[in-house]
């Protein structure tokens, strides 16, 4: 049973794109740029059920409990495709597209791979910097909120990257697992590929 048929991955066969956020600056900018898209408060996603949509979720402030709750919701609505955006370590991260039907890395895989990379980049066993402290707070309390202290213009890079993705041709299946880091110090972009977190069972 370790083998299964490859599932074709397409973004173009969904009814519409929906964007949800708990950040008013992001909602304001997104509404200004995309008059044809539905951009809503995150509360509306939690109150309603959607199927066969592409759902983009922007979290700021970010907290791990909310991400875990949303990841569970992703599994409950497997016909949707999800993408997550959140600030972390003075950067903004844009996740891969995730679908329960595809069995590709989920939002928790994405978050914990970021956390592991940041920990692995520390020099010295006893190093305790701001990000390590934030990670410890997350471990002790999943309700700890991290506000990236973003200005409204910081979201422009996110809008721009999403806008490029919306214009990609239908044959973009090779980009579905791509992830992006936007460094808020220099606005430089770093692309990578999302992999399964070894403690997650989303690939089963």
């Amino acid at each position: 049973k370790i083998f299964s048929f490859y599932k074709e991955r397409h973004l173009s066969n969904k009814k519409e794109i929906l964007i949800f956020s708990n950040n008013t600056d992001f909602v304001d900018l997104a509404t200004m740029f995309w008059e044809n898209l539905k951009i809503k408060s995150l509360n509306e996603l939690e109150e309603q059920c959607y199927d066969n949509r592409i759902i983009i979720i922007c979290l700021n402030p970010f907290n791990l409990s909310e991400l875990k709750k949303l990841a569970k919701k992703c599994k409950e609505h497997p016909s949707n495709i999800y993408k997550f955006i959140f600030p972390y370590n003075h950067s903004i991260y844009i996740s891969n597209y995730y679908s329960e039907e595809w069995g590709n890395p989920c939002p928790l895989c994405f978050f914990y791979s970021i956390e592991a990379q940041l920990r692995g980049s520390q020099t010295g066993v006893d190093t305790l910097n701001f990000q390590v402290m934030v990670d410890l707070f997350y471990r002790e309390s999943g309700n700890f909120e991290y506000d990236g202290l973003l200005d409204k213009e910081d979201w422009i890079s996110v809008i721009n990257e999403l806008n490029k993705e919306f214009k990609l041709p239908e044959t973009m299946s090779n980009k579905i697992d791509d992830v992006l880091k936007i460094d808020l110090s220099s606005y430089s972009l770093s692309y990578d590929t999302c992999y399964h977190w070894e403690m997650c069972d989303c690939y089963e």
Side-chain angles (χ1 to χ4, degrees), residues 64-103:
L64 188 53
S65 286
E66 184 69 23
L67 182 64
K68 287 180 177 178
K69 184 168 64 173
L70 290 167
K72 184 179 179 182
K73 191 175 184 71
C74 292
K75 294 180 182 293
E76 293 170 356
H77 299 278
S79 66
N80 291 328
I81 297 171
Y82 295 88
K83 178 181 274 290
F84 285 79
I85 303 162
F86 55 80
Y88 196 67
N89 194 37
H90 203 59
S91 299
I92 299 177
Y93 289 88
I94 303 178
S95 79
N96 56 306
Y97 288 96
Y98 165 72
S99 168
E100 171 76 5
E101 293 179 342
W102 294 341

Side-chain angles (χ1 to χ4, degrees), residues 8 20 26 44 55 61 79 92 98 108 129 135 137 199 203:
E8 290 291 334
F20 297 88
F26 178 80
E44 294 185 55
I55 295 179
S79 66
I92 299 177
Y98 165 72
L108 293 180
N129 65 7
D135 291 342
F137 281 128
M199 300 294 288
Y203 58 87

Side-chain angles (χ1 to χ4, degrees), residues 125-174:
V125 177
D126 297 324
T127 301
L128 184 64
N129 65 7
F130 173 72
Q131 191 55 50
V132 173
M133 291 172 65
V134 168
D135 291 342
L136 290 172
F137 281 128
Y138 280 134
R139 184 184 295 177
E140 295 300 320
S141 171
N143 291 314
F144 172 74
E145 288 192 341
Y146 174 64
D147 186 327
L149 303 176
L150 305 180
D151 295 322
K152 194 167 188 174
E153 57 266 25
D154 290 330
W155 293 111
I156 293 175
S157 295
V158 175
I159 299 288
N160 185 47
E161 289 305 310
L162 291 177
N163 199 49
K164 286 193 288 187
E165 289 187 10
F166 294 160
K167 293 178 179 179
L168 284 171
E170 293 183 9
T171 57
M172 64 164 289
S173 59
N174 60 321

